[in-house]
Amino acid sequence: MVAVCLVCGPSGSGKTTLVERLIPALARRGLPAATVKHHRGRILVDREGKDTWRHRRAGARATFLVTEGEVVAFFDRPPELDPASLARLCPPEVRILLIEGFKGLQGYPRIEVVRRGVGTAGPWLPEVLCAATDVEGLEAPFPVVGLDDVEAVADVLQGHCGG
């Protein structure tokens, strides 16, 4: 089963940097990770007129673009998309799905990234596993670790995964 953890915080707080540093730290612990980056708007990934666009326009339920070293999957987003649905799409070796964004989503474990001068801390949701921060003396009802202490965050995630 794939554990899910949101990585949340305001834009510019360091979420992406934390996620990219967590991936190898978790892999060293035997917890291969997959990631999701949530984007609020739409971005153009498939271009009109290209073969994959034409396949999708013709009604394909899923279209895969396979290159020398990558596989890209195109699906129409279901109206109700949740982290559990995304976890089911992960390759079988994945143990944890780190989801950057979806900060308004509740009910899923999360790491809160709190950076000095970027947004505000709290109010805290009950599902927060820890805060990764550069704010000295941050008080919270859960573990508070240094933003650069990726091993401490990995410890929290390892506990969350039951390993």
Side-chain angles (χ1 to χ4, degrees):
M1 178 158 175
V2 177
V4 171
C5 186
L6 306 179
V7 179
C8 300
S11 179
S13 62
K15 297 180 301 292
T16 300
T17 300
L18 179 61
V19 168
E20 72 183 337
R21 292 179 67 210
L22 278 171
I23 293 166
L26 292 168
R28 287 190 298 272
R29 295 164 182 245
L31 298 170
T35 63
V36 172
K37 171 61 178 132
H38 177 245
H39 182 74
R40 291 179 195 241
R42 293 184 64 93
I43 58 172
L44 182 62
V45 177
D46 199 14
R47 292 196 329 254
E48 185 174 340
K50 298 305 279 181
D51 295 348
T52 51
W53 178 88
R54 292 172 61 190
H55 295 176
R56 295 177 71 213
R57 186 167 158 242
R61 301 287 298 189
T63 298
F64 300 91
L65 173 63
V66 180
T67 70
E68 181 73 25
E70 297 174 304
V71 176
V72 178
F74 296 98
F75 298 90
D76 287 334
R77 180 181 172 162
E80 297 299 321
L81 181 72
D82 63 3
S85 300
L86 294 167
R88 286 191 291 277
L89 297 174
C90 289
E93 71 274 9
V94 169
R95 293 275 316 277
I96 186 164
L97 177 61
L98 300 173
I99 301 178
E100 183 182 336
F102 286 108
K103 66 182 172 186
L105 188 62
Q106 295 183 14
Y108 288 91
R110 64 177 58 216
I111 305 292
E112 287 287 345
V113 180
V114 181
R115 176 166 245 140
R116 183 177 42 254
V118 181
T120 58
W124 306 115
L125 295 172
E127 55 265 22
V128 176
L129 298 174
C130 77
T133 185
D134 64 354
V135 176
E136 300 233 2
L138 180 70
E139 293 187 23
F142 40 76
V144 176
V145 301
L147 185 55
D148 291 327
D149 192 351
V150 70
E151 293 301 324
V153 179
D155 286 343
V156 170
L157 290 174
Q158 187 171 13
H160 169 61
C161 290

